[in-house]
Amino acid sequence: MIKTKISLLATASLLLVACASNQTAQQAAPATPVAPVVATSPAPGMQAPESASGFTDKPGWAAKKFMVAAANPLATEAGYRVLRVGGSAVDAAIAVQMVLGLVEPQSSGIAGGAFMMHFDGNTVKAFDGRETAPAAATERLFQTAEGKAMSFHEGVVGGRSVGAPGVLRMLELAHKQYGRLPWASLFAPAISLAERGFAVSPRLNAMLKTEQFLRKDPVAAAYFYDKDGNPWPVGHVLKNPELAQVLRDIAKGGADAFYTGQIARDIETKVKSHPTNPGLLTAADIAGYQAKVREPVCTDYKTWTVCGMPPPSSGGIAIAQMLGMLETKNMRALTPVNGALNADAIHLFSEAGRLAYADRGRYVADTDFVPLPGNSPKALVDKRYLAERAALITDKSMGVAKFGVPPATTLALGIDNSPELPSTSHISIVDAKGNAISMTTTIEDAFGSRQMVRGFLLNNQLTDFSFDPVDANGPVANRVQSGKRPRSSMAPTFVFERGTKKLVLSTGSPGGSAIINYVGKVLVGTLDWGLNVQQAISLPNFGSRNGPTELEQGRVSDALVEQLKAKGHNVRVMEQTSGLQGIMRMNIHGEEMWFGGADPRREGIVKGD
Ligand code: GLU
């Protein structure tokens, strides 16, 4: 075993460096799509501000043995190189994450958190690398002196919103269990890119242009902007020697180098010394961080079993609830025709979404602090309960759904009002030995707390807590508490053939609380409508978060909007910048292959052999 690792280290070191070139992915035409999807471009000026890459049609990619899908071509390439030298899915995820933190710093990084679903061919595990609140945090963290909830950016920008980072401890824990290549070798692609520089992407450039707060941090300003305050242009070769050094330390010393030494002390200093909005995070909070392995939320949907992330994410439960309700309806009969969405399908999906989001707002938080009804996700995803909830769906929109009372509910809880704005990144990987991961990773808002330390950005994950600790119904489940993890919407998901442990799909997305709808769309698109994963990702986004019915701007017809209004929907046509990635098992020309998709709204690609 040790011998294998040493010889692999030599090969890995040779192959993992210098992945800045050769980004061409192996592409193949999708095989026998059931319903062709015409992915139209958005009308000029209608792209979401955070969607620098606009909408670029993507073909989908096929491979036989292994595959990686990530939100940036350099990150995908790093993962591909790991897989090619025999690395495991977890090994590849580490290399991908380290490169993402460098080239897509607005979305994720080593001072952020993540959730990772892992499948080893037999068992599914849910790794929790969510940030934690500092020991000194109280439920009044995001309250003004007058006892009102702060505005979102009042909470975000500065040290206040920074939680103890989780992603590195989580990856280390997963690597101990499922790593095949040596830890140090997995940092080589990111170190090399950070030293030699990487080309600023259109998306990073556009986000820097519209960003208001980042330049107020002198360290971030010096890194992201030129001396006149202009963001580095697309293609500018940006070097990050400070991050290279940090990554070298972590490669050598393990996650301890980040959690227990000078790096953690530097984070504390940055958090505490913010001139107007200091925070509470200490080096001791960081040193005390623990990644956790949790039981995934798995439920059957028709001929499949769908497994998702349990609390502190609400993603797995909400998606299981939506599918459980939709299972009682005939979604298959409502397949899009020539890419045009069916109004009845959007109606049912949005109504199921309303009901699921209502329960999410009331019940779901970090279960180490606040128990779910019945003390497990089971009550909320119980088929009988969901059938009762689904029976509330009529031909007319219900507008705003009320939470349900699942079996064994004893608590009176307030309704959470935490804002979640989109940033974040999703990675799906399958390796040659039948392991797979689905990992969603985040520093929360774009550019996190806008505080930069030693070449990386600090998260603002604590603003995923409810800013108000209590309402007329009682304490809010997702209120801030010392050491607690803020509730997430991230929904890294696996789908299996029911009863066989055969993985058929790994997918997930960024998008704040809309993640649940984005991922739900891909599940309905692939499982009910027979689309391949690229087609399902490319479908216009839609759904309701228990407010208006949201449709993706520039991608839906006026007729669809009118049909929904006629059913009583309060329709909001808006930017819906998902960043879906997915890998599915497909039969292509009689052969079983992996088929990957990347979101046309962002810069991702898929690569495999
Ligand atoms: N912080 C959010 C969550 O954990 C994710 C933000 C995003 O997707 O952009 O649910």
Side-chain angles (χ1 to χ4, degrees):
M1 181 65 192
I2 292 171
K3 220 172 163 192
T4 321
K5 278 215 172 184
I6 291 168
S7 67
L8 281 173
L9 172 60
T11 331
S13 307
L14 280 177
L15 290 169
L16 294 181
V17 288
C19 68
S21 58
N22 186 19
Q23 294 168 18
T24 329
Q26 181 193 333
Q27 301 184 5
T32 54
V34 173
V37 175
V38 184
T40 52
S41 296
M46 283 192 163
Q47 292 93 339
E50 66 274 37
S51 171
S53 34
F55 191 103
T56 311
D57 282 332
K58 296 188 181 174
W61 291 259
K64 259 182 101 161
K65 292 182 288 193
F66 56 78
M67 182 170 266
V68 47
N72 178 285
L74 295 167
T76 297
E77 181 66 26
Y80 169 76
R81 286 176 185 234
V82 168
L83 294 170
R84 208 177 57 184
V85 297
S88 68
V90 167
D91 292 332
I94 295 168
V96 170
Q97 173 66 81
M98 295 312 134
V99 173
L100 282 177
L102 174 72
V103 301
E104 203 197 29
Q106 68 273 22
S107 296
S108 73
I110 53 175
F115 294 119
M116 183 170 80
M117 304 286 295
H118 184 273
F119 178 59
D120 65 1
N122 187 43
T123 309
V124 184
K125 283 186 190 167
F127 286 87
D128 171 357
R130 186 68 162 171
E131 294 89 336
T132 53
T138 71
E139 60 184 33
R140 302 187 46 77
L141 184 66
F142 296 111
Q143 297 270 296
T144 63
E146 295 76 45
K148 297 253 174 322
M150 291 179 175
S151 73
F152 181 64
H153 284 116
E154 260 180 285
V156 168
V157 180
R160 184 181 298 270
S161 62
V162 185
V167 66
L168 272 169
R169 277 283 185 233
M170 183 197 84
L171 289 172
E172 181 185 61
L173 181 62
H175 185 259
K176 279 191 184 132
Q177 296 181 21
Y178 300 110
R180 224 175 284 139
L181 300 186
W183 170 260
S185 70
L186 308 171
F187 291 74
I191 293 170
S192 160
L193 275 169
E195 276 171 347
R196 297 186 318 149
F198 67 95
V200 168
S201 76
R203 179 174 168 77
L204 175 55
N205 169 265
M207 293 190 75
L208 287 169
K209 269 191 199 147
T210 53
E211 167 58 29
Q212 302 292 311
F213 304 104
L214 189 62
R215 58 185 87 224
K216 294 189 178 150
D217 176 46
V219 183
Y223 176 67
F224 287 109
Y225 298 91
D226 70 15
K227 61 179 179 356
D228 299 320
N230 300 311
W232 297 118
V234 177
H236 171 84
V237 177
L238 188 56
K239 296 183 181 174
N240 194 337
E242 277 198 292
L243 181 62
Q245 186 53 49
V246 166
L247 294 177
R248 236 184 268 114
D249 290 349
I250 301 167
K252 193 160 158 245
D256 278 352
F258 180 90
Y259 283 87
T260 62
Q262 191 55 44
I263 301 171
R265 287 195 289 277
D266 289 346
I267 294 174
E268 173 179 331
T269 304
K270 185 86 182 179
V271 163
K272 290 208 163 148
S273 61
H274 191 273
T276 57
N277 201 17
L280 302 168
L281 187 71
T282 64
D285 290 322
I286 298 172
Y289 184 85
Q290 281 185 331
K292 301 194 176 185
V293 180
R294 299 190 187 269
E295 191 61 36
V297 179
C298 293
T299 50
D300 291 337
Y301 180 62
K302 299 184 178 172
T303 57
W304 299 278
T305 299
V306 178
C307 292
M309 197 69 213
S313 186
S314 58
I317 290 177
I319 285 175
Q321 283 200 324
M322 286 175 74
L323 293 177
M325 289 183 251
L326 292 175
E327 199 171 17
T328 68
K329 316 285 175 193
N330 190 354
M331 287 301 274
R332 195 161 285 179
L334 307 173
T335 300
V337 177
N338 294 329
L341 294 167
N342 181 302
D344 288 327
I346 311 301
H347 170 71
L348 293 176
F349 188 90
S350 307
E351 298 301 283
R354 285 186 163 79
L355 293 158
Y357 276 82
D359 279 3
R360 167 187 178 274
R362 185 164 174 93
Y363 297 118
V364 184
D366 181 351
T367 40
D368 293 346
F369 287 73
V370 180
L372 291 167
N375 215 6
S376 113
K378 286 200 178 73
L380 282 164
V381 304
D382 176 74
K383 294 274 184 192
R384 216 164 347 137
Y385 170 63
L386 293 177
E388 278 167 32
R389 296 286 278 163
L392 301 171
I393 301 176
T394 66
D395 287 346
K396 283 273 176 200
S397 176
M398 66 185 78
V400 176
K402 199 172 167 302
F403 54 83
V405 183
T409 304
T410 52
L411 294 160
L413 296 176
I415 311 292
D416 170 51
N417 65 354
S418 64
E420 279 174 43
L421 298 179
S423 166
T424 308
S425 212
H426 181 78
I427 308 161
S428 280
I429 299 173
V430 290
D431 71 21
K433 297 232 162 84
N435 299 284
I437 64 104
S438 177
M439 168 171 161
T440 312
T441 175
T442 182
I443 54 170
E444 214 302 286
D445 196 28
F447 303 102
S449 61
R450 278 70 164 190
Q451 306 301 303
M452 197 170 203
V453 182
R454 299 182 65 167
F456 57 85
L457 287 165
L458 303 184
N459 70 79
N460 69 298
Q461 213 64 243
L462 302 184
T463 57
D464 271 3
F465 282 117
S466 174
F467 280 27
D468 285 319
V470 51
D471 75 6
N473 297 303
V476 175
N478 186 34
R479 65 190 178 280
V480 185
Q481 290 177 270
S482 165
K484 189 178 179 183
R485 297 171 191 224
R487 187 198 56 203
S488 169
S489 303
M490 295 194 287
T493 304
F494 284 142
V495 180
F496 298 90
E497 224 175 60
R498 192 165 166 173
T500 68
K501 294 189 176 166
K502 189 169 180 179
L503 180 73
V504 292
L505 179 67
S506 162
T507 190
S509 180
S513 56
I515 289 172
I516 291 159
N517 286 330
Y518 298 155
V519 175
K521 174 197 79 172
V522 170
L523 296 177
V524 169
T526 50
L527 306 181
D528 282 313
W529 298 341
L531 301 174
N532 71 46
V533 70
Q534 182 63 63
Q535 294 170 320
I537 287 171
S538 300
L539 280 177
N541 285 320
F542 53 83
S544 172
R545 292 179 275 173
N546 204 20
T549 298
E550 298 166 344
L551 301 176
E552 189 176 356
Q553 195 167 54
R555 309 234 21 253
V556 292
S557 67
D558 293 345
L560 180 67
V561 173
E562 290 313 315
Q563 284 169 307
L564 286 165
K565 281 185 179 163
K567 288 180 181 295
H569 287 257
N570 169 17
V571 177
R572 190 158 163 230
V573 179
M574 59 186 280
E575 286 157 356
Q576 288 199 288
T577 310
S578 51
L580 288 151
Q581 252 77 241
I583 297 176
M584 80 188 285
R585 199 185 284 273
M586 258 180 88
N587 192 303
I588 301 178
H589 307 310
E591 211 180 339
E592 205 161 79
M593 309 237 338
W594 294 114
F595 189 80
D599 203 313
R601 303 158 188 86
R602 283 177 60 161
E603 293 173 331
I605 63 165
V606 182
K607 193 164 177 175
D609 277 354

